[in-house]
Structures are given as C-alpha cells and as structure tokens.
Amino acid sequence: MGKHSSGKGGGSKSGGGQRMSPAAASRVQSASAKNPGSRTAESGFASRAQSAAAKSSGSRQQGGR
C-alpha cells in the first residue's frame, strides 16, 4: 500500500525491483521523442526515467547511499 499509483493501470514488465539504467532511460526518451503523442510521452515517463537513472548510477558511485 505504500506505492504511489497514478490510477492509469498498465502493468510493468520490470517487476519494480530493478533499477533504471542510463541506457534504458535513453531508450525511453528516444521512443518518446519519436512518438510525442504516445501514452509514455504524454505521461512524462521519459523525464522520470532519466531522473531514476541518474539517482541509480549516482548511488553506486558514492558507495550505495
């Protein structure tokens, strides 16, 4: 119950336990740019993916904080 929900449904294939890699975030952003009318682009997921990738890669470089 502690997870935030946007109420838009849609399952996640990643299972929620995996970190967003910079390469994966780049793919999301590229796909959103190619199709700006897509649900992913309109939801702002690309920017959230980039933020998650930055946090993920930064925490590893700083010793897992």
Side-chain angles (χ1 to χ4, degrees), residues 17-48:
Q18 298 177 356
R19 294 180 183 241
M20 178 66 71
S21 71
S26 179
R27 289 192 302 269
V28 170
Q29 193 168 33
S30 176
S32 295
K34 288 177 184 175
N35 190 1
S38 71
R39 189 169 170 181
T40 300
E42 290 180 351
S43 71
F45 181 68
S47 62
R48 294 194 311 273

Side-chain angles (χ1 to χ4, degrees), residues 40-61:
T40 300
E42 290 180 351
S43 71
F45 181 68
S47 62
R48 294 194 311 273
Q50 288 288 12
S51 176
K55 289 177 186 177
S56 176
S57 67
S59 66
R60 282 189 221 144
Q61 291 173 356

